[in-house]
Amino acid sequence: MTIKITPLKTSLFFTAFALFSLLTSCDNEEDRWTDVKGETVKEIVTNLDAKRIISFKVTNPGESQALYSAVDNVKKTITVYLPSYYEYQYLETAITLPEKTTISPAATELLPVFSKTPVTYTTKATDGTTAVYTVKIVIQQPSIILKELSTETETITIQAGSSVTVKGENFIPSYEVTKLFIVDKQGNKKFQLKQYNDGIDIASFYVMYSFPSIENGLQADTDYWLLMESYNISKTMKYPFRVTN
């Protein structure tokens, strides 16, 4: 068997030649490369609506505890979530608008909580365009629970001029907003009862009321019901009572 040995110089020559060819090939590849410019991309930036309301807050509780409202600039609504324990009849507001945009009525005007008609705000941008926002006030108040005086099988009789204690749950402890009325079968208010004790007992929720005399328009042997109104909601007892002298 014959073994052929290639001299070292020859191997080095061919290695150097191969490396040179590779580098030359790369140079040629770069020369042949054509830089193709991509498609032009246009970025469109739209301006925010100048008629929008940026923020709307109720400041009655103080600036540090202000109630921020939900502003929907698409549906044009302002939703105010108001806890019932504040007992507000009117709200003080602070409204943030884009620069030079105006609003009517002004933020300094009081906002009624129990308006009989929808309350709206109109914004006006510098270009003269306007938007109308409708205010929705959602009062967060639990339902009143009244403990019945009568039962399904027994109608109690209350002596005129005496006092009656009403028990239940979720009374707002304020005579300004928690009131008790005597109503007839049709729900008509016949008499507003006068509070007898100094204040509503918050722990057990009971109130004492002075009951009226027959001379106040009530009739004996007639069914009446007790109706409690407390800020935003009302509750009528299910079972009636009667009055006697």
Side-chain angles (χ1 to χ4, degrees), residues 28-201:
N28 293 337
E29 189 72 21
E30 290 178 0
D31 292 340
R32 293 193 303 269
W33 181 266
T34 301
D35 187 11
V36 179
K37 187 177 181 180
E39 296 181 2
T40 302
V41 178
K42 295 182 179 180
E43 183 178 1
I44 301 175
V45 179
T46 58
N47 294 326
L48 292 174
D49 189 351
K51 304 183 297 295
R52 76 190 189 283
I53 294 177
I54 298 175
S55 70
F56 188 102
K57 61 184 178 180
V58 175
T59 58
N60 297 54
E63 185 64 31
S64 61
Q65 295 180 321
L67 305 174
Y68 280 86
S69 304
V71 178
D72 190 326
N73 286 301
V74 176
K75 296 181 179 180
K76 299 295 185 291
T77 58
I78 304 167
T79 305
V80 180
Y81 295 96
L82 181 64
S84 60
Y85 52 77
Y86 282 125
E87 306 171 18
Y88 295 144
Q89 302 294 323
Y90 294 89
L91 303 179
E92 299 172 3
T93 64
I95 306 173
T96 304
L97 302 167
E99 186 178 2
K100 297 183 179 180
T101 296
T102 60
I103 192 167
S104 178
T108 54
E109 293 192 25
L110 295 177
L111 171 63
V113 175
F114 300 106
S115 176
K116 294 182 180 180
T117 57
V119 177
T120 60
Y121 285 91
T122 301
T123 58
K124 185 175 182 180
T126 54
D127 61 1
T129 57
T130 61
V132 179
Y133 288 78
T134 301
V135 179
K136 299 179 180 179
I137 299 179
V138 179
I139 299 177
Q140 299 171 308
Q141 181 176 2
S143 299
I144 297 173
I145 298 175
L146 294 178
K147 185 176 180 180
E148 297 286 337
L149 299 178
S150 301
T151 66
E152 186 176 2
T153 58
E154 180 183 4
T155 299
I156 70 163
T157 300
I158 301 175
Q159 185 175 2
S162 63
S163 63
V164 62
T165 299
V166 178
K167 297 182 180 180
E169 297 179 25
N170 302 328
F171 301 172
I172 295 180
S174 168
Y175 293 146
E176 296 293 329
V177 297
T178 300
K179 302 173 182 178
L180 192 69
F181 299 89
I182 296 175
V183 299
D184 60 18
K185 190 174 183 178
Q186 289 72 37
N188 299 313
K189 295 177 181 178
K190 307 299 291 186
F191 193 84
Q192 180 178 346
L193 296 178
K194 182 180 180 181
Q195 292 85 354
Y196 182 81
N197 56 331
D198 293 332
I200 297 176
D201 187 299

Side-chain angles (χ1 to χ4, degrees), residues 5 9 13 19 23 34 58 62 91 100 105 107 138 152 205 219:
I5 301 175
K9 290 182 179 181
F13 171 78
L19 181 60
L23 294 175
T34 301
V58 175
L91 303 179
K100 297 183 179 180
V138 179
E152 186 176 2
F205 289 104
Q219 299 178 359

Side-chain angles (χ1 to χ4, degrees), residues 170-242:
N170 302 328
F171 301 172
I172 295 180
S174 168
Y175 293 146
E176 296 293 329
V177 297
T178 300
K179 302 173 182 178
L180 192 69
F181 299 89
I182 296 175
V183 299
D184 60 18
K185 190 174 183 178
Q186 289 72 37
N188 299 313
K189 295 177 181 178
K190 307 299 291 186
F191 193 84
Q192 180 178 346
L193 296 178
K194 182 180 180 181
Q195 292 85 354
Y196 182 81
N197 56 331
D198 293 332
I200 297 176
D201 187 299
I202 301 176
S204 57
F205 289 104
Y206 75 86
V207 195
M208 292 181 64
Y209 293 91
S210 297
F211 226 74
S213 62
I214 296 295
E215 288 74 20
N216 283 281
L218 301 180
Q219 299 178 359
D221 300 323
T222 301
D223 288 344
Y224 294 102
W225 285 257
L226 289 180
L227 161 67
M228 178 174 282
E229 292 183 348
S230 182
Y231 198 53
N232 184 53
I233 58 179
S234 62
K235 178 72 174 182
T236 302
M237 286 190 177
K238 181 178 180 181
Y239 302 116
F241 65 91
R242 293 192 171 190

